Amino acid sequence: NSGDRLNFNEHIGPYSRRIGYLPANALVKGEVVQSYGGGTCQVSSTLYNVILQLPGIDILRRRAHGPAAASYLPHGADAAVGSDTQNFIIRNAYPYPVRIDGTVQDGALTIAVYRAD
């Protein structure tokens, strides 16, 4: 709905084995390590790049990985998640609800944002 927020860490986390996350590659202080929830930054970064194209979605909080950036995007084009200081928060400023759909096929993630009314 208009004005609703998506707080990535609250909606997708906590990134733990207890809720079903498996170990995968994650960037921690510039190093690739195995971590529960590894790979979630690829999802938040893909969503971030979609949101950049939509003037009716406000980016309230976003932080890039820094100098040892995600290798799958140009430097600074990512949205790190997973901690208090790394989160991605957006707000729907359109006067109508939107829906975010994500699909994976053949290893490729596609995210689409639709008008939902």
Side-chain angles (χ1 to χ4, degrees), residues 18-115:
R18 182 176 50 81
I19 68 164
Y21 280 99
L22 299 173
N25 287 346
L27 282 174
V28 177
K29 297 181 181 177
E31 299 291 324
V32 176
V33 299
Q34 290 289 298
S35 176
Y36 289 101
T40 53
C41 291
Q42 289 182 331
V43 178
S44 61
S45 295
T46 302
L47 178 59
Y48 168 65
N49 282 277
V50 170
I51 297 304
L52 287 175
Q53 310 305 312
L54 300 171
I57 306 290
D58 298 328
I59 298 169
L60 304 179
R61 187 167 183 194
R62 173 254 168 193
R63 181 176 153 203
H65 281 91
S71 61
Y72 48 85
L73 287 169
H75 181 72
D78 58 308
V81 295
S83 70
D84 291 340
T85 60
Q86 296 179 322
N87 197 359
F88 183 53
I89 303 172
I90 57 177
R91 178 181 59 223
N92 178 17
Y94 286 115
Y96 46 80
V98 296
R99 184 178 86 205
I100 300 170
D101 282 338
T103 58
V104 175
Q105 183 175 359
D106 299 325
L109 172 63
T110 301
I111 292 181
V113 179
Y114 298 95
R115 183 175 176 154

